[in-house]
């Protein structure tokens, strides 16, 4: 079991609600692979921005939970169509078996102590043939992003926090998921005022874990670059998918044996 990463999300709920938003290319990527779902669940949903837009696009009933009451309060205020509650993703999920067609988490696994529990519970609440998705940052994603370029201290901070893809897929396999595969979404964008404000208000947890001196140096460098020309932002997302396959309720060798015996008795 990994050590749980402590972070006060109640303290930053309003900042996340105001300055964090879903990545359009990631939303499109997920929608194109799911296409249809009746009920979807976001684990560790925060302010439920991804849950809100995906449930709307998929015409699905959206459910989500998060350990932070303040995040759930902000999510409920912003997304009236989804059903949210306070619960811990390191514990049993507060839903019955086989409830959902699609279960996903975005930027969650680096806060989770027990990856095996996360995927065992995701498997339990999924219907047969339902899909699970983890959106995370690989080591390469962390190295190449704009956040790391301007705030190099965050490189080691996040490399230490994020579990590797192999740890995630291993936990998924142990839970029973099959057909596991990985996809990538890479985005480049003009770094505008709204992105600057994300950084200035520390709307990414790594910025709150680094030194104040390093943070101020990064902000000054970014501000100077924006004054002198176009700044191109870079962000990549790693998606790890799996499927809950229905298990056979019969023993094929037994059937073949019965068939053989029936044939020989005629």
């Amino acid at each position: 079991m990994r050590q749980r990463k402590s972070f006060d999300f109640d303290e930053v709920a309003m900042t996340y609600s105001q300055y964090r938003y879903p990545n359009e290319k990631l939303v499109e990527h997920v929608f194109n692979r799911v296409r249809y779902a009746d009920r979807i669940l976001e684990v560790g949903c925060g302010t439920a921005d991804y849950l809100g837009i995906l449930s709307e696009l998929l015409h699905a009933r959206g459910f989500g939970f998060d350990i932070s009451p303040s995040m759930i309060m902000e999510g409920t205020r912003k997304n009236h169509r989804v059903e949210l509650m306070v619960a811990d993703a390191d514990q049993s999920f507060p839903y019955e078996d086989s409830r959902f067609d699609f279960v996903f988490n975005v930027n969650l696994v680096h806060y989770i102590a027990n990856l095996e529990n996360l995927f065992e519970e995701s498997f339990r609440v999924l219907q047969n043939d339902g899909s699970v998705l983890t959106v995370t940052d690989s080591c390469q994603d962390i190295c190449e992003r704009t956040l790391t370029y301007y705030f190099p201290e965050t490189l080691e901070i996040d490399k230490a926090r994020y579990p590797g893809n192999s740890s995630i897929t291993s936990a998924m396999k142990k839970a029973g998921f099959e057909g596991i595969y990985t996809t990538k979404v890479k985005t480049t964008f003009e770094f505008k005022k709204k992105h600057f404000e994300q950084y200035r208000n520390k709307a990414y947890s790594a910025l709150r874990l680094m030194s104040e001196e390093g943070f101020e140096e990064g902000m000054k460098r970014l501000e100077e670059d924006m004054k002198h020309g176009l700044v191109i932002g870079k962000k990549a997302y790693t998606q790890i998918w799996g499927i809950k396959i229905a298990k056979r309720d019969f023993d094929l060798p037994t059937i073949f044996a019965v068939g053989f015996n029936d044939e020989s008795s005629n």
Side-chain angles (χ1 to χ4, degrees):
M1 182 181 296
R2 304 166 66 241
Q3 183 178 359
R4 185 161 189 162
K5 307 303 180 183
S6 177
F7 194 81
D8 188 354
F9 279 105
D10 284 330
E11 179 183 336
V12 300
M14 290 190 67
T15 298
Y16 272 48
S17 179
Q18 183 175 357
Y19 295 105
R20 294 287 290 268
Y21 44 84
N23 181 278
E24 292 181 4
K25 287 189 177 179
L26 178 59
V27 169
E28 181 182 7
H29 182 85
V30 174
F31 172 70
N32 286 336
R33 278 159 177 76
V34 178
R35 302 302 288 177
Y36 169 81
D38 185 38
R39 290 186 176 88
I40 66 175
L41 169 67
E42 182 176 9
V43 182
C45 64
T47 56
D49 295 318
Y50 279 101
L51 177 63
I53 192 168
L54 284 171
S55 61
E56 183 176 349
L57 289 172
L58 292 166
H59 303 289
R61 288 185 63 186
F63 298 80
F65 69 91
D66 195 276
I67 196 171
S68 165
S70 296
M71 287 285 189
I72 292 299
M73 182 173 65
E74 285 295 315
T76 300
R77 180 182 64 81
K78 294 172 66 178
N79 302 282
H80 302 294
R81 295 179 64 252
V82 299
E83 301 179 36
L84 308 179
M85 66 172 66
V86 177
D88 187 347
D90 268 323
Q91 305 297 325
S92 297
F93 293 0
Y95 307 98
E96 64 269 21
D97 296 356
S98 305
R99 179 82 183 275
F100 302 102
D101 307 293
F102 178 50
V103 174
F104 70 103
N105 64 81
V106 181
N107 295 326
L108 171 69
V109 289
H110 54 295
Y111 298 107
I112 294 295
N114 192 342
L115 286 177
E116 291 185 2
N117 176 79
L118 171 67
F119 292 110
E120 286 169 359
E121 283 297 292
S122 296
F123 189 90
R124 179 183 65 79
V125 301
L126 266 174
Q127 296 183 7
N128 289 334
D129 300 322
S131 297
V132 67
L133 167 64
T134 291
V135 179
T136 185
D137 286 353
S138 69
C139 184
Q140 182 179 4
D141 297 337
I142 294 168
C143 290
E144 295 179 352
R145 67 191 183 188
T146 302
L147 184 74
T148 299
Y149 177 76
Y150 286 102
F151 307 96
E153 278 184 46
T154 64
L155 176 62
E156 295 305 320
I157 290 172
D158 276 351
K159 283 173 66 176
R161 292 198 300 164
Y162 279 79
N165 291 2
S166 60
S167 297
I168 296 170
T169 56
S170 177
M172 291 172 67
K173 289 177 182 177
K174 190 169 183 179
F177 286 106
E178 300 181 38
I180 298 170
Y181 68 100
T182 299
T183 58
K184 298 280 286 190
V185 170
K186 292 188 176 183
T187 61
T188 56
F189 53 91
E190 180 184 351
F191 206 92
K192 297 182 178 180
K193 181 180 179 180
K194 66 176 183 179
H195 304 111
F196 182 86
E197 290 301 319
Q198 280 186 323
Y199 287 4
R200 169 53 66 192
N201 289 276
K202 298 184 178 180
Y204 294 94
S205 58
L207 296 177
R208 295 173 178 269
L209 297 173
M210 68 180 295
S211 70
E212 190 62 27
E213 180 183 4
F215 174 74
E216 290 300 335
E217 287 178 358
M219 290 304 302
K220 288 178 182 177
R221 202 153 58 93
L222 174 58
E223 191 169 15
E224 285 300 312
D225 284 353
M226 292 180 71
K227 285 180 181 177
H228 290 94
L230 181 66
V231 174
I232 301 299
K234 295 181 180 180
K235 181 72 176 80
Y237 301 87
T238 294
Q239 297 79 238
I240 305 177
W241 301 80
I243 302 172
K244 179 179 179 178
I245 303 295
K247 300 299 182 183
R248 296 180 183 273
D249 294 325
F250 50 79
D251 183 4
L252 285 175
T254 300
I255 291 178
F256 291 146
V258 170
F260 177 79
N261 290 335
D262 287 348
E263 184 179 358
S264 61
S265 63
N266 289 336

